[in-house]
Amino acid sequence: MTDTSEATPTPIGRRTVLIATGAAAASLAVTAAAPEAPTAEAAGTAPVAAAAVCTLTKEMTEGPYYLDGQLVRADISEDKTGIPLELTLTVVDDDTCAPLNSALVEIWHCDALGEYSGFVGNNGHNEPDNGTFLRGGVLTGPDGVAEITTVYPGWYRGRCVHIHVKVHTDVTLTADGSFTGGQELHTGQLFFDETTTTRVAALATYAANTVPRTTLAQDGIYDDGGAASGLLTLTALGTSPSAGYAGALTLGVESS
């Protein structure tokens, strides 16, 4: 599906990926095991956080800024300025609520100036472009949880603040810190409530983005469907917006 509300980017070739760090590096060249079909007993013992929401999360457009072969890493922020955003995304089977183990959750989004790595300049700003910033993902654990650290996104012309997300199973981690193969179960977007975004947009780092901001209500992709359409539950990490936020959502996907 084509996202006509996003600017058409100038394509670039597959980027050179970096070596994964931390726990991901210890798992290089390991094939992520596909989760077994959940039984009734497994569904009954699913963690409370996973079972709290058990609806199919709406599929949404991939948009024009996806790059394959993203890094497998828990922190995708690199050196980008912006307030912290700590994401906790729980992947469950929408039929049984059973958590999906070893599913790769990958995300990508623009920086505070509305620029995507690999396509810098499309939102009218000049900055270094290494082709990797604010891109990557991690494997879920047995509880279906993927934790990713990034920065609160900015915005670009015609779109509200959002993050793109994909969920894959059966991927193979590679020696260069990326992944190959697997089955794509879900493509969607994560959204932010307007009250929080308005506070963030007033901070100097984000106010430097002079492109007019599209609100959640004005966006042509978000359908006001709440959590089922990707609306994050946000929790402040401190007493001021500059301290950042934690964002949580349960992604219900069709695993079979």
Side-chain angles (χ1 to χ4, degrees):
M1 176 165 56
T2 301
D3 185 349
T4 56
S5 64
E6 300 192 59
T8 302
T10 301
I12 68 170
R14 181 186 179 93
R15 66 182 180 279
T16 301
V17 295
L18 308 176
I19 297 299
T21 60
S27 303
L28 296 179
V30 176
T31 301
E36 295 180 1
T39 63
E41 288 127 351
T45 58
V48 173
V53 177
C54 191
T55 58
L56 183 66
T57 304
K58 185 173 181 178
E59 294 278 317
M60 291 191 175
T61 176
E62 175 184 285
Y65 296 111
Y66 181 69
L67 293 175
D68 62 352
Q70 296 190 48
L71 301 173
V72 180
R73 55 182 180 173
D75 188 338
I76 69 171
S77 58
E78 295 191 15
D79 60 351
K80 302 307 292 184
T81 57
I83 64 171
L85 178 64
E86 299 178 359
L87 291 173
T88 300
L89 303 175
T90 304
V91 184
V92 300
D93 183 286
D94 74 300
D95 291 324
T96 66
C97 286
L100 270 61
N101 185 23
S102 296
L104 182 76
V105 179
E106 63 166 338
I107 65 171
W108 67 103
H109 63 86
C110 68
D111 65 9
L113 295 178
E115 302 289 351
Y116 281 86
S117 57
F119 304 92
V120 167
N122 278 5
N123 203 41
H125 304 93
N126 292 319
E127 58 178 307
D129 187 357
N130 63 3
T132 63
F133 66 76
L134 306 180
R135 296 179 182 273
V138 296
L139 294 173
T140 60
D143 55 0
V145 172
E147 296 181 336
I148 303 174
T149 298
T150 184
V151 298
Y152 202 102
W155 59 91
Y156 51 99
R157 193 174 303 276
R159 287 302 318 278
C160 67
V161 174
H162 65 281
I163 292 176
H164 293 271
V165 59
K166 284 182 182 284
V167 178
H168 312 256
T169 54
D170 299 321
V171 300
T172 299
L173 303 184
T174 60
D176 60 6
S178 184
F179 69 93
T180 60
Q183 178 184 3
E184 187 177 302
L185 297 185
H186 174 71
T187 298
Q189 297 183 24
L190 309 176
F191 297 95
F192 301 77
D193 69 77
E194 274 301 308
T195 299
T196 303
T197 293
T198 298
R199 293 179 185 139
V200 173
L203 300 174
T205 299
Y206 295 86
N209 184 354
T210 57
V211 172
R213 186 171 68 82
T214 298
T215 67
L216 201 63
Q218 294 168 334
D219 190 72
I221 303 298
Y222 181 68
D223 63 357
D224 200 29
S229 293
L231 187 66
L232 291 162
T233 296
L234 297 173
T235 304
L237 295 175
T239 57
S240 68
S242 60
Y245 293 87
L249 186 70
T250 297
L251 299 169
V253 301
E254 292 183 345
S255 61
S256 60

